[in-house]
Amino acid sequence: MLANVYLHYVIDLWFEKRVRKNCAARADMVRYADDIIFCFEAEEDVWRFYEELKERLAKFHLELSEEKSQIIPFGRSTTEKPGKFDFLGFTHVIGKSMNGWNIVKYRTSEKKLKMKRAKIKKFLKDNMHIPVGLLIKALNIRLRGHYNYYGISHNSEKLNGFYQYCCYTLFKVLNKRSQKRSLTWKEFDTLLYKFPITAPHIVLSLW
């Protein structure tokens, strides 16, 4: 909380009262804690601001993380090939709408997806011996949390992939519960009919 208040003075107010007023075209920013995106319409503003930002941070004994910072062309009207970037667990890309318009699309970032898969795998392995109904109920709680955050327009492929991973991992874990007999896919489907795994769905439609 203190860091947020500090950056509000160091970055937010400075950008609003000084930077934006000196830009040749529109300029905006989005900040969440110390993760920040700066957006400029005019390329000339970008390079000047990049140097000014480093000077501003140095005044408060802070440094810009060079390896985590990048300048990319991005937007509906960019004349260059648009780049992509990760922010708050999403990879932001420029794609096409059904009408052929350039729009921003959101995908679960590969880094976050890898972390989520690892957590689900560990959870299922650690709890493999509890009753199946309770295990799937607990799994569904985690899946609903995942869908509520990542269930956004154009992210269906990533949601479905995560759902399939959870189903497959559960199948493998249940087969390790007993060394006497393996669970078949048909038996697994029957089990899921009784204790269904929550299917992915879009929570927030942007269009």
Side-chain angles (χ1 to χ4, degrees):
M1 185 177 293
L2 288 176
N4 244 336
V5 173
Y6 193 61
L7 287 178
H8 176 67
Y9 172 75
V10 176
I11 299 293
D12 302 355
L13 295 179
W14 170 69
F15 187 88
E16 179 66 29
K17 297 181 180 295
R18 296 287 299 275
V19 175
R20 183 177 284 167
K21 291 181 179 180
N22 294 324
C23 286
R26 181 178 175 181
D28 289 299
M29 65 164 281
V30 179
R31 181 175 69 84
Y32 185 84
D34 61 347
D35 288 332
I36 316 173
I37 298 173
F38 299 102
C39 311
F40 299 90
E41 280 190 332
E43 185 175 348
E44 61 195 83
D45 291 330
V46 175
W47 298 104
R48 184 183 69 252
F49 169 75
Y50 189 64
E51 296 304 319
E52 291 177 351
L53 177 61
K54 289 189 284 188
E55 292 176 5
R56 175 68 175 177
L57 293 176
K59 288 182 179 180
F60 298 88
H61 305 289
L62 300 173
E63 289 184 18
L64 184 68
S65 178
E66 299 280 355
E67 67 275 9
K68 293 182 180 180
S69 303
Q70 57 179 329
I71 297 175
I72 62 171
F74 192 88
R76 297 183 177 90
S77 58
T78 181
T79 56
E80 302 179 56
K81 182 179 179 181
K84 61 181 180 179
F85 63 92
D86 289 353
F87 186 63
L88 303 182
F90 287 95
T91 297
H92 298 63
V93 299
I94 295 295
K96 295 289 184 180
S97 69
M98 295 180 64
N99 296 325
W101 296 95
N102 286 337
I103 60 173
V104 180
K105 292 188 175 183
Y106 308 87
R107 308 277 192 265
T108 310
S109 74
E110 288 300 324
K111 179 181 178 180
K112 290 295 183 180
L113 199 54
K114 184 177 180 180
M115 292 172 59
K116 296 282 283 187
R117 286 174 175 170
K119 286 183 178 180
I120 286 294
K121 185 176 183 179
K122 184 178 186 306
F123 163 75
L124 291 175
K125 282 187 173 181
D126 290 347
N127 296 277
M128 62 187 297
H129 293 297
I130 70 174
V132 176
L134 293 178
L135 180 60
I136 293 180
K137 182 178 180 180
L139 173 62
N140 283 338
I141 292 174
R142 287 158 175 78
L143 282 172
R144 284 194 293 272
H146 184 84
Y147 302 154
N148 285 339
Y149 188 83
Y150 291 103
I152 192 170
S153 297
H154 309 298
N155 199 30
S156 296
E157 184 178 340
K158 293 291 186 180
L159 291 178
N160 289 328
F162 186 68
Y163 168 78
Q164 294 294 336
Y165 174 83
C166 290
C167 291
Y168 178 75
T169 304
L170 177 63
F171 174 76
K172 299 292 288 185
V173 165
L174 292 180
N175 267 310
K176 293 180 179 179
R177 284 163 52 122
S178 174
Q179 298 180 351
K180 297 180 180 179
R181 179 175 174 274
S182 296
L183 186 71
T184 67
W185 280 107
K186 185 176 181 179
E187 291 170 333
F188 184 63
D189 287 340
T190 301
L191 183 67
L192 294 188
Y193 182 79
K194 183 177 181 181
F195 304 109
I197 296 177
T198 303
H201 57 279
I202 297 299
V203 176
L204 177 63
S205 178
L206 299 177
W207 317 105

